[in-house]
Amino acid sequence: NDLRVAVVGAGMMGADHVKRIATTIAGATVSAVVEPDGARRAAALELAPGAAGFADLDEALASGVVDAVLVATPGQFHEDALLTVLAAGLPVLCEKPLTQDPESSWRVVEAEMAGGRQLIQVGFMRRFDREYEELRKVVSAKPAGELVMLHARHRNASVPDSYVQTMLINDSVVHEFDAVPWLAGGVVTSVEVKYPRRNSRSPEHLREPILVLMELDNGVLVDVEMNVSIEFGYQVETEAVFEQGVARIGEPAGLQLWQRGRFSVADHADFTTRFREAYDRQVQAWVDAAKAGTIAGPSAFDGYKVAVCCAAGVKALETTGPVPVELPEMPAFYAERA
Ligand code: ISE
């Protein structure tokens, strides 16, 4: 039996997920599209013949056609949607971030624990990127010794006008706050932001690129170049430095072309193609797990930890020197299921 999924939010990511579930995911169908904007809703419904359209989530849940929910609305609407889905006792894949601040993320964690079942998976898709998975294995198998440092590069060609300074952290470095501890096997203890020369071509209201430094409790030091006006394309790369070697992931791959005295390899234009396979694998893993009554990726508690790191990161945008990050112990509810 197909898992009947309601996709909530039919913007760029929501529409992408509707198409993915309708065309490439096994064992699931889009049964509902929840989107208040009529034109967007209609466009998404074209991608999923047979799905019903709703203006709000309560109506969709009351209709009885929903077994699981994929939340892809802007972050400020996540808390409400998650509390509604938890109350209905349904599995949910929530696009990043869990919520936009530690307080609301903690409320979601508490509501999940009160329900007694782990229902939330957070959409940090980098954990489903094959090269990230391979690098994580190198970190734990230690063929080149212990991990010492990570140099991460997160580059966007451009960002929309609505993208403000704090989004460098809350919308973009948010991914590294999940992926880095997962890769490096530690806990973030401090975040610092440094400003190089400003890119004169950045939108006027942004001061970027930025360099984010993270310290982990296992001694690993991480630098993240966060750059959102690089124009040439989209790149997410990591170089890992070990005691006896180096590993790199995320570099351009594919057709190499020699032409007119130049050598070129195509690179990505945005995250929908750079992480397409990771998104596919993430949603398939979630669908399979939801049918088995479990989750297969970052938990609500992981989402909460990221929210705490982001709050420190936002403070670090306006602080000289490192801002400490204090994370609570993992509640037994999550530790037992980890
Ligand atoms: C966007 O929201 C994403 O999640 C992308 O992965 C990231 O690269 C981009 O900077 C964000 O704005």
Side-chain angles (χ1 to χ4, degrees):
N1 274 12
D2 274 0
L3 186 76
R4 298 171 303 165
V5 180
V7 175
V8 185
M12 182 178 174
M13 274 322 295
D16 199 46
H17 284 310
V18 167
K19 188 162 152 219
R20 167 173 297 108
I21 295 172
T23 59
T24 58
I25 300 299
T29 47
V30 180
S31 59
V33 171
V34 181
E35 165 65 58
D37 182 295
R40 281 189 177 177
R41 186 170 66 235
L45 285 169
E46 297 222 335
L47 303 169
F54 298 93
D56 82 75
L57 179 56
D58 289 310
E59 269 178 56
L61 296 182
S63 75
V65 299
V66 179
D67 301 321
V69 178
L70 195 163
V71 175
T73 59
Q76 69 264 33
F77 304 115
H78 286 188
E79 180 184 7
D80 268 2
L82 288 169
L83 294 177
T84 301
V85 180
L86 286 177
L90 298 180
V92 52
L93 176 62
C94 180
E95 263 301 331
K96 45 74 48 171
L98 180 64
T99 70
Q100 287 181 313
D101 58 79
E103 295 72 27
S104 56
S105 283
W106 187 252
R107 288 195 289 272
V108 170
V109 162
E110 283 191 316
E112 184 176 55
M113 291 195 291
R117 275 178 64 200
Q118 215 171 348
L119 291 168
I120 300 174
Q121 179 174 328
V122 187
F124 289 117
M125 76 299 183
R126 291 194 191 177
R127 296 196 191 193
F128 294 87
D129 177 271
R130 286 187 200 274
E131 291 187 11
Y132 268 87
E133 275 181 0
E134 279 176 65
L135 179 57
R136 188 165 185 253
K137 284 187 193 141
V138 173
V139 171
S140 60
K142 310 188 202 312
E146 293 287 348
L147 178 66
V148 176
M149 281 189 273
L150 291 174
H151 304 297
R153 297 176 278 277
H154 185 167
R155 299 176 177 138
N156 292 189
S158 62
V159 282
D161 286 344
S162 55
Y163 189 103
V164 295
Q165 187 74 10
T166 50
M167 288 171 79
L168 288 163
I169 299 294
N170 289 334
D171 204 52
S172 299
V173 180
V174 65
H175 285 288
E176 278 79 12
F177 283 135
D178 180 68
V180 162
W182 176 80
L183 262 183
V187 171
V188 180
T189 55
S190 78
V191 184
E192 178 173 2
V193 173
K194 294 213 162 251
Y195 292 91
R197 167 182 285 166
R198 181 176 175 277
N199 182 349
S200 62
R201 300 175 60 87
S202 298
E204 218 164 278
H205 60 282
L206 292 183
R207 183 174 171 203
E208 60 94 27
I210 60 173
L211 187 70
V212 180
L213 301 175
M214 291 182 213
E215 292 180 301
L216 303 191
D217 66 344
N218 60 5
V220 173
L221 191 61
V222 183
D223 58 87
V224 183
E225 174 200 320
M226 188 67 238
N227 202 324
V228 297
S229 314
I230 196 88
E231 293 186 15
F232 76 84
Y234 184 87
Q235 261 182 352
V236 172
E237 301 174 340
T238 302
E239 179 173 282
V241 180
F242 296 89
E243 290 170 317
Q244 296 138 307
V246 165
R248 287 187 187 160
I249 59 168
E251 311 224 329
L255 177 78
Q256 305 182 3
L257 177 67
W258 285 260
Q259 190 207 25
R260 290 179 184 262
R262 304 199 75 82
F263 167 67
S264 64
V265 185
D267 211 339
H268 291 284
D270 66 38
F271 49 88
T272 57
T273 62
R274 164 65 178 83
F275 287 110
R276 174 171 294 142
E277 195 200 11
Y279 284 121
D280 289 351
R281 297 180 74 218
Q282 166 185 256
V283 174
Q284 188 66 63
W286 171 67
V287 164
D288 295 345
K291 288 177 153 185
T294 170
I295 65 165
S299 69
F301 186 68
D302 291 320
Y304 167 74
K305 287 191 290 186
V306 169
V308 173
C309 291
C310 283
V314 166
K315 194 166 166 206
L317 286 170
E318 292 178 354
T319 306
T320 304
V323 174
V325 174
E326 274 161 43
L327 291 165
E329 285 282 305
M330 190 189 290
F333 177 86
Y334 293 98
E336 283 157 14
R337 292 162 176 83

